[in-house]
Amino acid sequence: MRKKLCMLACTILLGVTTLAGCSKAKETTSKETTVTPTETVTQEVTPTEEVKPTEEATPTQEASEESALEQVAEKITIPIAGLKGPTSMGLVSMVDLSAQGMTANNYELTVAGAADEITAGIIKGEYPIAAIPCNLASVLYAKSNGAIKVAGINTLGVLYIVETGDSIHSVEDLKGKTIYSTGKGTTPEYTLNYLLKSHGLDPEKDVTIEYKTEATEVAAILSQSDDAIAMLPQPYVTTVMMNNDKVHVALDITKEWEAASKNDSTVVTGVVVVNTKFLEENKDAVDDLLKEYEQSVNYANAEVEATAELVEKYGIIKKGVAMKAIPNCNIVMLQGDEMKKKVSAYLQVLFDQEPNSVGGSMPDDNFYYIP
């Protein structure tokens, strides 16, 4: 009997234990399924709550701000050299905008009275950009073993035959005359010789050419004679005509050159050159400058009076002279293949007369910077 009671007790105890275990397992399962992973994320922090704290400075915003600061920091100062005359007139608007902080980089203009004041600085890189005579650029390229490149034409022909009488209506009319000029051994001499020869005149036999050191000397001769003939560049032509109403333009040398040219050349007075090392290290800055230079030239030709004020401001010539001279100064900004073609053709004419006028040999293709 006792044995049966013990077996019955064990059976009841086992049943209770089993039920308790099932109940505990069921409870555990119920608790685990009441909170899903999604619900856990939703309850702890919603997507909206995650964005709000980061609106103050996201990684993208920080990167943009750093990029903007880098762009400001990369703005550099570029010294520019030019000469008193048309080759610098096209620069003044760009330089003035730079002073107002409105250009890609900062530009500082130095205007020299003579080329030899700045040539050493151009080669050394003290003036990474310069506006100089075309043939001088070729000479410096040869002497420096390629330390500079020509990047554009900034001035075409500026030479004119003027007289106080009324006897010159064609190049042939110069035969037997005395012509006063400046520029012995430089571009004006080579230009006049080419023009005379193109019309069958011998510069040494058919005309008398008297070269003076200063344009003021030529102006004095014109003021003292009723039949004097001279070749002068702008803006001196305008200055002389403003001071002497007897003087008038007889021939436009550029038009006469182009009419006589056998290689489709024209007179290239001034070019813009860039130091080769500076170009290699700052190509983007040079390209930006050339674009802004072109805009400056367009402004000079369209807004003559405003440009004349800037020309005087930067110490080139007086406003009154500039206003009348600018339309006759052939200020341009020619780049690329057109620039290369015109410069090469012009230098070839000079080389054929006197090789040393372009540095002893014609410059190779590395002389030209074509973006």
Side-chain angles (χ1 to χ4, degrees):
M1 180 69 176
R2 183 180 295 178
K3 184 177 182 180
K4 288 182 180 180
L5 288 172
C6 289
M7 290 179 63
L8 178 61
C10 289
T11 301
I12 292 171
L13 180 61
L14 179 61
V16 171
T17 303
T18 302
L19 288 172
C22 290
S23 177
K24 186 175 181 180
K26 186 175 181 180
E27 183 181 353
T28 303
T29 304
S30 176
K31 288 182 180 179
E32 290 176 350
T33 57
T34 56
V35 181
T36 65
T38 303
E39 289 171 335
T40 301
V41 173
T42 304
Q43 290 171 2
E44 291 179 356
V45 56
T46 65
T48 304
E49 291 171 335
E50 288 182 340
V51 172
K52 284 183 178 179
T54 59
E55 286 180 353
E56 295 180 359
T58 65
T60 302
Q61 289 173 326
E62 290 177 357
S64 299
E65 291 171 0
E66 288 177 3
S67 177
L69 290 172
E70 287 175 0
Q71 290 178 3
V72 172
E74 288 174 0
K75 196 169 186 178
I76 61 175
T77 297
I78 305 177
I80 302 173
L83 300 175
K84 287 189 176 181
T87 55
S88 294
M89 291 180 182
L91 279 165
V92 292
S93 174
M94 181 182 77
V95 173
D96 200 61
L97 287 175
S98 173
Q100 302 173 50
M102 298 172 65
T103 50
N105 290 290
N106 302 317
Y107 308 128
E108 296 180 348
L109 178 62
T110 296
V111 179
D116 58 7
E117 297 175 26
I118 57 176
T119 51
I122 294 171
I123 294 174
K124 293 178 181 178
E126 295 171 3
Y127 301 112
I129 303 291
I132 60 176
C134 182
N135 73 307
L136 176 60
S138 182
V139 171
L140 294 182
Y141 177 76
K143 287 185 176 180
S144 66
N145 295 317
I148 65 167
K149 294 180 182 291
V150 61
I153 298 172
N154 60 18
T155 320
L156 294 174
V158 296
L159 290 170
Y160 295 83
I161 297 291
V162 298
E163 63 172 338
T164 53
D166 189 28
S167 61
I168 307 301
H169 304 283
S170 67
V171 176
E172 288 82 2
D173 291 338
L174 293 171
K175 186 174 183 178
K177 306 292 186 180
T178 296
I179 305 170
Y180 299 95
S181 181
T182 58
K184 174 68 175 175
T186 62
T187 302
E189 179 182 8
Y190 305 132
T191 301
L192 182 56
N193 287 348
Y194 172 75
L195 196 62
L196 293 171
K197 291 177 181 178
S198 297
H199 288 79
L201 301 178
D202 187 331
E204 297 181 358
K205 297 179 180 179
D206 295 326
V207 298
T208 300
I209 306 174
E210 292 191 17
Y211 287 99
K212 304 298 181 181
T213 304
E214 301 287 341
T216 53
E217 297 178 67
V218 177
I221 293 171
L222 289 168
S223 67
Q224 298 167 4
S225 174
D226 291 330
D227 60 354
I229 301 166
M231 184 178 75
L232 286 171
Q234 288 286 8
Y236 296 108
V237 171
T238 297
T239 301
V240 169
M241 291 175 64
M242 289 177 67
N243 295 325
N244 185 348
D245 59 10
K246 294 186 298 181
V247 178
H248 66 93
V249 173
L251 299 173
D252 181 333
I253 296 295
T254 302
K255 290 181 179 179
E256 298 297 334
W257 177 299
E258 292 175 349
S261 175
K262 296 179 181 179
N263 66 345
D264 295 325
S265 64
T266 188
V267 179
V268 180
T269 298
V271 295
V272 54
V273 297
V274 55
N275 178 272
T276 302
K277 183 179 180 181
F278 181 83
L279 174 62
E280 292 171 351
E281 297 174 351
N282 303 275
K283 183 180 183 302
D284 289 343
V286 172
D287 290 344
D288 287 338
L289 181 147
L290 293 175
K291 291 176 184 177
E292 291 174 332
Y293 198 151
E294 183 175 12
Q295 294 169 359
S296 183
V297 166
N298 292 338
Y299 181 85
N301 289 316
E303 303 293 339
V304 175
E305 183 173 0
T307 300
E309 292 179 357
L310 294 176
V311 166
E312 179 172 343
K313 176 180 177 180
Y314 287 96
I316 299 173
I317 56 173
K318 294 294 184 181
K319 175 184 174 181
V321 176
M323 281 187 62
K324 293 187 176 182
I326 288 173
N328 299 308
C329 284
N330 281 323
I331 300 170
V332 298
M333 189 54 184
L334 305 179
Q335 302 176 60
D337 291 333
E338 182 181 13
M339 172 268 293
K340 180 180 179 181
K341 180 180 179 181
K342 290 184 182 299
V343 170
S344 178
Y346 175 69
L347 292 178
Q348 186 65 58
V349 172
L350 299 186
F351 175 80
D352 291 341
Q353 288 188 61
E354 175 51 66
N356 288 332
S357 67
V358 300
S361 62
M362 284 291 291
D364 56 26
D365 288 344
N366 289 326
F367 176 56
Y368 303 96
Y369 172 57
I370 300 178

